[in-house]
Amino acid sequence: MSSKLPKLKKRRIKSTRSISILHGFDFGRFLIAFGTIIVLSLLLSVHLIPDRIDLRIGDRLTSDIRAARTVKYVDTTATNRTREEEANSIPVSYEPDPGALGNSLTVVMDVFDTVRRVRNSNDIQPSKKEEALTKELGSFLKKEDIHFLVEEKQAVLDRMQSLAKMLVQKVMARQIRPDTLDLESAKAEFKDRATGAVTARTEMQVLYSIGVRAIGVNYRINRAQTAALRDRAARRIPAIIGEIRAGDIVARQGEAFSQLHLDICR
């Protein structure tokens, strides 16, 4: 019995201490503090949820929105604008058009073949051949050019055909891209070459008119490569980060809710 008395004494001491601690605990204050935390949490939730969920871009704000805390955010509009500017700074990519030269030479041959057919036709009266040739070729040749093509010796026309083909080949050896000044520059080069190749004004004029009609772009836009390069350039631009401090006005009453406001409220 004597060996168990110390244990009973210790239990009584512990029980006395527990009662003393509980006696000093203020349940009323605890409940008030706990209730206050719950109420504040609910109030904050009621204020923030509409800003985050119910508002849509374009909605008119019925009250000011202030930042509840200092936050950093991704400025989507500024980021997209900067990335688009960077992408557009990348020049268009081109690739050679393998059929361009053949198409241009075909134009030259078609013109002279048409001239030869009209000249040699027995079904067209000589006085009507210029009119017939104009109808066949269209209006890109002047009246005096048509007269020259109908009346000039065939040997001269054959020489001009060979000369036109040669000049077209030389000019189209250069890069002629769409949506640039390349084509105008190529036509000017053809005129210079034609002027140096013949002395008669009418011959030069006919050569130039045919050359201008025949010469075209010999490069085309490589849209896939251009898009890939521009996309790569845009992705190199990091997201633009903004910051708003607690208490700052995010959006004012009457403003339209924008992408920037959405970025901040996320």
Side-chain angles (χ1 to χ4, degrees):
M1 290 291 294
S2 60
S3 60
K4 294 181 180 181
L5 287 175
K7 291 183 180 181
L8 291 173
K9 186 176 182 180
K10 288 181 181 180
R11 287 178 182 175
R12 288 176 182 174
I13 292 173
K14 288 182 180 180
S15 176
T16 302
R17 288 178 180 175
S18 299
I19 293 171
S20 177
I21 291 171
L22 291 174
H23 178 73
F25 186 77
D26 192 334
F27 281 101
R29 290 183 179 179
F30 171 78
L31 291 175
I32 290 172
F34 182 77
T36 301
I37 292 172
I38 296 298
V39 170
L40 289 176
S41 299
L42 290 173
L43 289 174
L44 287 174
S45 299
V46 169
H47 175 71
L48 291 176
I49 287 175
D51 291 347
R52 288 172 175 257
I53 297 176
D54 293 341
L55 289 173
R56 299 291 183 269
I57 292 177
D59 290 350
R60 290 289 171 181
L61 300 176
T62 58
S63 62
D64 292 348
I65 298 178
R66 291 182 178 272
R69 59 186 182 279
T70 298
V71 294
K72 292 184 178 181
Y73 60 92
V74 174
D75 191 331
T76 302
T77 302
T79 300
N80 290 343
R81 181 176 60 251
T82 304
R83 287 174 175 171
E84 183 178 358
E85 291 172 353
E86 181 65 20
N88 290 336
S89 69
I90 304 300
V92 173
S93 296
Y94 297 92
E95 61 183 355
D97 182 352
L101 178 58
N103 293 337
S104 295
L105 294 177
T106 297
V107 171
V108 174
M109 291 185 291
D110 285 348
V111 169
F112 284 98
D113 286 346
T114 301
V115 171
R116 190 176 295 107
R117 177 167 50 80
V118 171
R119 282 166 58 101
N120 296 335
S121 176
N122 295 323
D123 298 328
I124 304 174
Q125 298 178 10
S127 61
K128 298 293 185 180
K129 289 190 175 182
E130 291 185 22
E131 181 182 351
L133 187 58
T134 300
K135 289 182 179 179
E136 290 275 356
L137 296 180
S139 59
F140 80 94
L141 289 169
K142 296 180 179 180
K143 186 176 181 179
E144 60 187 70
D145 298 338
I146 293 292
H147 178 75
F148 173 85
L149 291 171
V150 170
E151 299 296 333
E152 189 55 68
K153 295 178 180 179
Q154 187 61 49
V156 174
L157 298 184
D158 291 342
R159 177 176 58 82
M160 289 183 63
Q161 179 177 355
S162 298
L163 183 58
K165 290 171 61 178
M166 181 189 69
L167 294 180
V168 167
Q169 286 179 308
K170 286 185 176 181
V171 171
M172 291 196 63
R174 62 186 291 173
Q175 186 184 58
I176 307 175
R177 301 162 298 175
D179 303 324
T180 68
L181 296 176
D182 290 354
L183 186 56
E184 294 302 316
S185 179
K187 291 177 180 179
E189 180 186 344
F190 187 92
K191 184 175 183 179
D192 291 340
R193 290 181 177 274
T195 302
V198 295
T199 56
R201 185 187 66 83
T202 304
E203 288 187 19
M204 188 279 293
Q205 178 60 41
V206 170
L207 275 177
Y208 176 68
S209 297
I210 295 173
V212 167
R213 188 173 181 83
I215 293 172
V217 296
N218 54 10
Y219 274 70
R220 59 195 177 195
I221 297 175
N222 188 327
R223 300 189 183 281
Q225 184 176 10
T226 300
L229 292 174
R230 289 181 173 180
D231 181 65
R232 190 181 308 164
R235 285 189 281 105
R236 286 199 298 264
I237 302 299
I240 296 177
I241 305 299
E243 181 179 271
I244 191 163
R245 297 186 176 278
D248 288 351
I249 293 180
V250 176
R252 296 187 180 277
Q253 180 180 356
E255 288 184 347
F257 194 70
S258 67
Q259 179 64 52
L260 178 60
H261 301 146
L262 180 61
D263 292 338
I264 296 172
C265 293
R266 280 176 177 171

